[in-house]
Amino acid sequence: MTLLEQADYMPGIPDELDIKKYGIGLIGCGTIANQAHLPAYQKHGIPVVACCDVNEEAARATAERFGIPFWTTNVQEFLKKTEIKVIDMAVHPDVRMDLLKEIAKNPRPVLCQKPLALDLKQAKELGDFTKENNIILGVNQQARWAPGHKALKHLLDQGLIGNIYNIHHVMRSYQDQPGWWWTTMKHFIILDHGIHYIDLARYFSQSPYVHQGEWERVHCTTAKLTDQNSISPLIYSANIEFGPMGGNNPLMASLQFNNIVKAKTSHSYTWWVDGDKGSIWGHHDKLFISMAKASSVIQEIRLDGKWFPDGFAGSMIDFITAIDQKKKPPVTPEDNYNTVALTAAMVISSEEGRVVERAEILRGDKIHV
């Protein structure tokens, strides 16, 4: 029996979807757009009809590199293009509301780069505004569509390892290079880079084989080297609780991220998920399965594709498919609020040395970080 087919985890345009009807207009022609968004769309045949950036050279170079027929530095001129049916917003959070106000004059669906915002108040302001102005808004938490992550979620959703009670992630990397924007961003390791893994813990917990599918409280610690370039800690460890207080919950998650490992050969990336019938663990390119009834046997599954760029294609294809079928986006603002709330809770927990509850964040006791 084949446990996993390529179609279960790799992006693909559904036969019933006429993707050519959905021309994409890209706002933001920076590094992430050129290294991930546009290569993904080019690889998978997703049409891009226009691009816009405040930097003229960035807009022009991007258009030339990817054969985009129209580019501009003027967002009003960009939005006049009727062939733009979907907007890919690949800009930093601080300018998103201004752009949405322009888009509201002629609403079109918007897929917004993760996170929706850096704090819950701003995220809800964006979400409320799009609702009031008939803008369909999705959040591009593209790590959910990375082949390794989507393959793992598919197996969990099939009930392969039964009821899930433990999720564990370890990431070892290095991102303290001097001169890069992230070294000057407060709480970067949690709010920007780490949000991928924080959101993935929530994504895996949404499996039908999880009895309690939303986080309720978190305890997080961080560490900072005395000689590092980044202004904030580059190491976090978080224990996430689901369900009622008291340690009798049916699920927990633990996340460790050391982003200042100077020995490159010791870098690693692994997820472990345990269920009452077995365990799955894996990396970006392979998964391993061991079942309780035959624990001496380990099955290895090698995966095709890569997070960059395939995850970005999967996110956009599923967003367009949802629009075409008049369904909610795969990642709604409401879904993303819980991820943003968890990052805020982790920051507060690390700074104040205590457990922080989701209810505390959602009711607004402390939502700025």
Side-chain angles (χ1 to χ4, degrees), residues 276-296:
D276 57 14
K277 293 182 180 178
S279 300
I280 304 174
W281 66 100
H283 321 299
H284 290 299
D285 57 353
K286 64 182 68 172
L287 296 176
F288 302 92
I289 302 166
S290 180
M291 304 302 294
K293 62 183 180 182
S295 59
S296 62

Side-chain angles (χ1 to χ4, degrees), residues 66-176:
F66 292 96
I68 301 170
F70 176 82
W71 66 269
T72 181
T73 60
N74 186 304
V75 71
Q76 291 84 10
E77 185 180 12
F78 170 87
L79 293 170
K80 287 178 183 177
K81 304 296 287 184
T82 58
E83 54 267 50
I84 297 175
K85 305 301 181 186
V86 175
I87 294 172
D88 183 3
M89 187 180 288
V91 296
H92 288 290
D94 57 337
V95 300
R96 290 174 185 169
M97 181 60 84
D98 289 339
L99 290 172
L100 287 172
K101 288 177 180 178
E102 293 296 331
I103 294 167
K105 297 172 185 177
N106 184 5
R108 272 158 282 188
V110 176
L111 183 60
C112 177
Q113 176 70 350
K114 68 80 198 165
L116 183 56
L118 297 179
D119 68 58
L120 189 57
K121 181 176 184 292
Q122 184 185 20
K124 288 187 172 181
E125 287 173 353
L126 293 172
D128 290 345
F129 180 84
T130 56
K131 276 188 177 179
E132 293 164 2
N133 289 275
N134 299 313
I135 299 171
I136 298 171
L137 179 64
V139 183
N140 188 13
Q141 290 283 173
Q142 16 67 26
R144 297 187 182 195
W145 283 267
H149 305 146
K150 193 170 182 187
L152 174 54
K153 179 65 157 48
H154 178 81
L155 294 177
L156 299 179
D157 289 356
Q158 305 312 301
L160 179 67
I161 60 170
N163 296 314
I164 299 159
Y165 61 86
N166 182 58
I167 298 169
H168 181 52
H169 178 243
V170 172
M171 168 72 160
R172 294 168 57 82
S173 188
Y174 185 86
Q175 212 167 1
D176 194 40

